[in-house]
Amino acid sequence: MKNQSVSTPQNSIEKTLEREALEYHSKGKPGKIEVVSSKPCSTEKDLSLAYSPGVAAPCKMIAKDPSKVYDYTSKGNLVAVISNGTAVLGLGNIGPLASKPVMEGKGILFKQFAGIDVFDIEIKSDSSAQFIQAVKALEPTFGGINLEDIKAPECFEIEETLKREMKIPVFHDDQHGTAIVSGAALLNACQIINKKLEDIRVVVNGAGASAVACSNIFISLGVRRENLIMCDSQGVIYKGRTEGMNKYKESFAVETDRRSLHQALDGADVIVGLSVAGALTGEMLKKMAKDPIIFAMANPDPEIDPVTARAARPDAIIATGRSDYPNQVNNVLGFPSIFRGALDTRSTQINEAMKLAAVKSLAKLAREDVPEKVSATYGGKSFKFGREYLIPKPFDNRVLLWVAPAVAKAAIDSGVATKTITDWDAYRDTLEAFQGPSKVFIRTAIHKVHQNTAANKGELPKIVFPEGSSTKILKALRTLVEERICQPILLGYPDRVKEKIKHLDLQTLEDVPIIQPSLHPKFHTYAQELYKRRQRKGVSLREAERLMTDPNYFASMMVMMDDADGMVTGSSQNYPDAVRPILQVIGMHTDGVPAGVNFVLTEDRVYLLSDTTVNINPTAEQLAQIALQASRITEYFGEKPKIAMLSYSNFTSSEGTPAKMRRAAELVRDKNPNIVAEGDIQADAAVSASIIERIFPFSHLKDGANILIFPNLESANISYKILQQLGKVEVIGPFLMGVKHSANVLQRTTTVEGIIHSVVLTSLEAQYMKDYRRKRKQVGLNN
């Protein structure tokens, strides 16, 4: 009878993954990367600038001054990922051609996590000398070299030679990426179990590229060389051993009578596995010291299954190279940000100081609170520094903002940088720009808040939060307080709010004032004022007192009475319930129209869309006022408002919606002749300068509109939500316009990051509105 293969759940999962991976790589355009032009090239003039004859100008400049290559080409942001395919992770020596999917994947990670462009290069040579010569010849093209999947010991010679003979950074990620991330994990693991690096005994199982690099960085961090035992497939590397040795192993040979991995583990504090699956057993781990640190990093299967390791040693701290277990040692935490820092300082190499800076910044970041956005990326799982969270998660976008500056500073301090960074705040802003347009937009708003605060002698806008015990609000406030965006005031029961702050470990909020509305000294004054305002609307004094116990009414009255500069609410309520107190208490500007506005952010433009939340079918007069309100927001950012009244037609004499939008545009121009307002106009023409130039040259929207006013709520709301899901854009908002003071209502689905964005813009608006009221008061006008 023939043997039949037995299908297991694990085999089924692996086959499914393999099928999905093949489809992923082959669907549509084969492969994973492409070259995209960073400059327009759609006209004859563009072509003459991109190539002959215009391209001669930068060529001559670079020939005269080679440093100009960084000004006129992509060299400064271009890395080569180079391999000969002799040691592809988990696959072995499969050759350069078969390694290409891995190298393309590496390129995606560079781009995704640090905005670095990559060409993957696969070299058909097993000769170290030939490989070195090929890479050296590429130096004029690239700003850095990432060596990948080259077998040991050749990889050591190749990297050492290239670092010595090239004047751009050369980095073998299989060695140093693993070392840097595992070094950060080791630092934090030792802190958690209260052990000093100089006292721990470390066993490293494996003697290849990553094992040697890990051992070196552990020693640089403080592990004593005599306390580190390295093992290979033949056992302990000891002084006097001759079989299977090379100069790299020899540097880790120690005086010991231990000869096997099993013996080496007796009393050890740390085991670092960089070898093969099954190399460790539960019995071996039982011989280790109290609170053992187990880094089983063989891929795709670790030296010991974490479940088995935990059963043998419940007191262990465990890390692997896999994403389906806690503490994944993933190189993507290192190489993108390290190269970012090296490229931005035009460093001649990535030295030990830069690697150690990366280690320490990763370790420090892991001790910080983890943003909600990171948790959402991982299915809502919460993370907190401890035994199962030693290092940041790969999709934590703070990694770039922490590691790249640390690496860049180390490059400058150690003398390998040829370009100096002096304004570190500005540098962090450029790093945020790699993470999407919303980061740039909000950072711009934050800078304006800070500028206005400085002009107001350091006085921060006071923003009141009716939902004082909301977890999302409190987490957002931590960042807002640290960034000095506002002076928050929380409403709620003080004991409950303080308990929540303590539970969430938000020490920065300990001094934030907490108000219980019914016990506030101005409670009755506020109730009297509400009664005065609403007595002819069916509100009695007793009803006014009842309403004033509602945090939204109380917060609205605080703002109206100038006891606060603005408010943000709605994270746990329906929009109508949250907005009603604002409209009833704070009220509208003279001629003001309540309306929602959303910011739509592309890579190089900011658009305001309105009305997205309030008016079902606004009149031409209302649309004109909504447009004027939106125009004031663009002026907060120093932009000239350009308004498009959108319709299904372009500059017609049609009745219905086109007529309404034409009338709205006319009213805007009548009220403020300095504002460009066009309508009726279709959406594509409104945002396309080329369509305007070709078809409607008479229009004043020469560069396209930045304020898009929709004819009704349906079209506006549908448009921004479709853009949010399908467009390559980011959407922020909605925000409330038309009220006398700064007050905004959140969406119930908003995230902590969304709350931060809302409060930043509320604070900015509050500053401008307060200044506006002060100036009107100076000339004897009412607010």
Side-chain angles (χ1 to χ4, degrees):
M1 188 174 177
K2 292 182 178 179
N3 290 332
Q4 293 182 343
S5 60
V6 179
S7 178
T8 67
Q10 184 62 34
N11 288 339
S12 178
I13 291 170
E14 289 174 358
K15 287 179 180 178
T16 299
L17 180 62
E18 184 175 297
R19 184 178 66 253
E20 290 174 346
L22 290 173
E23 182 181 355
Y24 173 84
H25 283 77
S26 63
K27 191 174 181 179
K29 185 184 291 185
K32 301 189 288 282
I33 58 175
E34 65 179 348
V35 176
V36 177
S37 174
S38 63
K39 301 291 188 297
C41 193
S42 55
T43 66
E44 189 175 354
K45 178 66 178 291
D46 292 341
L47 189 59
S48 70
L49 295 173
Y51 201 59
S52 183
V55 74
C59 291
K60 289 187 285 186
M61 290 293 289
I62 295 167
K64 190 184 299 183
D65 179 359
S67 69
K68 293 294 183 183
V69 71
Y70 292 100
D71 298 330
Y72 297 117
T73 77
S74 62
K75 178 180 172 73
N77 195 53
L78 189 61
V79 166
V81 172
I82 306 181
S83 180
N84 60 5
T86 53
V88 179
L89 186 66
L91 299 172
N93 187 352
I94 60 174
L97 190 64
S99 76
K100 186 172 175 62
V102 177
M103 305 312 132
E104 286 189 357
K106 196 83 171 189
I108 287 178
L109 300 181
F110 268 105
K111 188 69 174 179
Q112 177 73 24
F113 290 97
I116 295 171
D117 297 315
V118 163
F119 289 148
D120 64 291
I121 297 174
E122 293 73 36
I123 295 176
K124 188 178 181 180
S125 176
D126 290 340
S127 162
S128 295
Q130 288 181 349
F131 190 96
I132 289 166
Q133 284 304 114
V135 176
K136 281 177 62 179
L138 296 170
E139 184 168 350
T141 303
F142 296 97
I145 303 292
N146 182 94
L147 300 173
E148 194 77 18
D149 292 346
I150 304 166
K151 70 183 177 71
E154 289 85 348
C155 63
F156 300 119
E157 177 193 352
I158 288 169
E159 188 192 38
E160 287 170 3
T161 304
L162 291 174
K163 286 182 71 172
R164 186 173 61 249
E165 298 184 8
M166 297 180 77
K167 294 181 180 180
I168 58 174
V170 177
F171 185 82
H172 185 202
D173 184 51
D174 299 315
Q175 293 184 58
H176 309 299
T178 304
I180 286 164
V181 181
S182 62
L186 181 65
L187 278 178
N188 282 341
C190 286
Q191 177 174 317
I192 288 166
I193 60 176
N194 198 28
K195 290 184 180 180
K196 295 180 180 179
L197 270 76
E198 60 265 30
D199 296 334
I200 61 174
R201 285 189 51 230
V202 178
V203 176
V204 176
N205 191 45
S210 55
V212 169
C214 284
S215 300
N216 280 326
I217 214 154
F218 294 166
I219 291 167
S220 296
L221 288 170
V223 173
R224 293 178 182 173
R225 185 175 287 272
E226 62 269 23
N227 286 349
L228 188 148
I229 293 178
M230 182 178 287
C231 301
D232 61 9
S233 59
Q234 298 180 41
V236 171
I237 296 172
Y238 58 90
K239 285 194 178 294
R241 183 181 133 177
T242 57
E243 189 176 353
M245 294 293 286
N246 57 47
K247 67 177 183 178
Y248 303 103
K249 293 182 183 180
E250 189 64 46
S251 67
F252 291 100
V254 293
E255 294 282 0
T256 181
D257 58 359
R258 304 182 189 216
R259 293 296 180 264
S260 68
L261 174 62
H262 195 279
Q263 292 173 345
L265 284 171
D266 191 1
D269 298 285
V270 181
I271 171 64
V272 176
L274 293 156
S275 52
V276 294
L280 295 172
T281 66
E283 286 303 310
M284 296 165 75
L285 301 183
K286 288 178 181 179
K287 301 181 68 177
M288 294 181 70
K290 183 177 181 293
D291 294 318
I293 298 170
I294 302 167
F295 291 174
M297 297 185 287
N299 257 322
D301 298 312
E303 284 80 359
I304 185 169
D305 180 79
V307 176
T308 304
R310 179 74 64 207
R313 292 301 302 262
D315 59 338
I317 292 178
I318 303 171
T320 72
R322 293 179 58 131
S323 61
D324 50 351
Y325 293 108
N327 298 322
Q328 182 193 16
V329 177
N330 192 323
N331 288 20
V332 80
L333 288 168
F335 68 85
S337 301
I338 292 166
F339 265 97
R340 184 75 271 159
L343 292 175
D344 293 340
T345 52
R346 296 180 191 167
S347 296
T348 56
Q349 60 176 282
I350 294 172
N351 60 19
E352 197 70 11
M354 295 160 76
K355 288 182 272 186
L356 288 175
V359 171
K360 291 172 183 177
S361 62
L362 279 172
K364 188 176 179 182
L365 175 57
R367 299 169 202 149
E368 298 289 311
D369 286 344
V370 180
E372 185 185 63
K373 186 175 182 180
V374 177
S375 297
T377 304
Y378 292 90
K381 185 177 180 181
S382 60
F383 302 102
K384 187 176 177 63
F385 179 62
R387 288 172 174 262
E388 295 200 342
Y389 180 73
L390 298 175
I391 45 180
K393 304 299 286 184
F395 282 99
D396 188 334
N397 58 16
R398 298 173 302 167
V399 171
L400 178 66
L401 307 182
W402 281 62
V403 176
V407 170
K409 190 174 189 307
I412 294 167
D413 292 345
S414 62
V416 298
T418 62
K419 179 184 176 183
T420 299
I421 296 170
T422 55
D423 188 339
W424 291 97
D425 288 336
Y427 178 57
R428 287 185 179 88
D429 290 350
T430 66
L431 295 176
E432 280 193 320
F434 291 119
Q435 298 178 344
S438 67
K439 295 288 186 183
V440 180
F441 177 70
I442 292 299
R443 183 55 56 183
T444 300
I446 288 172
H447 287 325
K448 289 188 176 295
V449 169
H450 289 164
Q451 290 165 8
N452 294 339
T453 299
N456 291 325
K457 300 179 180 179
E459 182 184 352
L460 290 169
K462 290 181 287 186
I463 307 299
V464 60
F465 297 87
E467 299 159 305
S469 60
S470 162
T471 298
K472 289 192 292 187
I473 293 289
L474 293 173
K475 286 184 175 180
L477 283 180
R478 180 182 185 225
T479 298
L480 293 161
V481 169
E482 289 175 351
E483 291 256 21
R484 289 187 55 77
I485 302 303
C486 67
Q487 180 183 335
I489 302 168
L490 298 172
L491 300 187
Y493 294 104
D495 290 345
R496 292 183 189 175
V497 177
K498 287 177 182 178
E499 183 62 33
K500 194 72 167 283
I501 289 171
K502 183 178 180 181
H503 174 71
L504 295 172
D505 196 23
L506 301 172
Q507 292 96 336
T508 51
L509 304 186
E510 288 176 353
D511 296 327
V512 171
I514 304 167
I515 295 173
Q516 184 176 337
S518 61
L519 299 181
H520 191 266
K522 290 190 175 182
F523 175 80
H524 293 291
T525 303
Y526 287 175
Q528 286 282 354
E529 183 63 28
L530 181 60
Y531 170 63
K532 179 181 173 182
R533 291 167 178 268
R534 304 290 297 175
Q535 61 187 341
R536 293 182 181 272
K537 306 273 186 186
V539 175
S540 65
L541 179 58
R542 178 170 293 183
E543 175 67 4
E545 290 175 343
R546 186 192 67 79
L547 289 172
M548 206 45 59
T549 62
D550 181 328
N552 281 318
Y553 276 94
F554 191 88
S556 299
M557 191 59 74
M558 285 187 74
V559 174
M560 191 61 215
M561 301 292 282
D562 288 331
D563 292 323
D565 300 311
M567 65 179 283
V568 175
T569 187
S571 69
S572 59
Q573 305 163 71
N574 290 322
Y575 190 91
D577 294 334
V579 79
R580 190 178 301 111
I582 294 171
L583 299 181
Q584 290 182 358
V585 177
I586 298 176
M588 309 306 301
H589 279 297
T590 304
D591 297 329
V593 175
V597 62
N598 285 78
F599 295 88
V600 174
L601 314 173
T602 68
E603 287 188 2
D604 57 354
R605 297 290 295 271
V606 177
Y607 298 95
L608 274 68
L609 277 60
S610 194
D611 170 21
T612 55
T613 59
V614 180
N615 299 283
I616 294 175
N617 189 21
T619 65
E621 289 73 18
Q622 288 175 316
L623 290 171
Q625 184 59 35
I626 289 168
L628 290 168
Q629 291 165 182
S631 71
R632 283 195 285 272
I633 295 175
T634 63
E635 290 169 355
Y636 295 164
F637 295 92
E639 296 291 328
K640 185 177 179 181
K642 291 174 287 185
I643 300 165
M645 296 290 182
L646 301 181
S647 181
Y648 58 78
S649 56
N650 286 307
F651 305 107
T652 66
S653 58
S654 302
E655 294 302 315
T657 296
K660 179 170 77 168
M661 304 314 282
R662 279 197 308 277
R663 177 61 180 154
E666 291 168 1
L667 289 169
V668 170
R669 293 193 295 267
D670 289 343
K671 291 185 177 183
N672 190 338
N674 295 320
I675 291 180
V676 174
E678 292 282 25
D680 55 318
I681 186 170
Q682 292 180 345
D684 57 347
V687 298
S688 172
S690 62
I691 292 177
I692 292 291
E693 183 180 358
R694 286 185 290 107
I695 305 175
F696 309 110
F698 54 83
S699 171
H700 296 291
L701 290 176
K702 300 302 181 186
D703 298 320
N706 54 11
I707 297 173
L708 306 178
I709 305 298
F710 290 78
N712 54 43
L713 182 59
E714 280 181 317
S715 57
N717 193 275
I718 290 169
S719 295
Y720 97 76
K721 291 195 172 182
I722 284 180
L723 283 171
Q724 198 168 30
Q725 296 302 319
L726 301 182
K728 292 184 178 181
V729 299
E730 294 185 49
V731 179
I732 298 178
F735 298 94
L736 185 61
M737 299 190 299
V739 294
K740 289 181 180 177
H741 296 256
S742 184
N744 279 304
V745 179
L746 304 164
Q747 292 180 307
R748 292 177 70 179
T749 55
T750 192
T751 62
V752 169
E753 185 176 45
I755 293 169
I756 292 170
H757 292 170
S758 294
V759 177
V760 168
L761 294 172
T762 301
S763 295
L764 180 61
E765 182 184 38
Q767 288 175 325
Y768 280 112
M769 293 180 82
K770 190 172 184 179
D771 185 57
Y772 172 75
R773 290 194 301 274
R774 188 183 71 250
K775 288 176 180 177
R776 286 178 63 85
K777 192 173 182 179
Q778 287 172 351
V779 296
L781 295 173
N782 294 325
N783 291 335

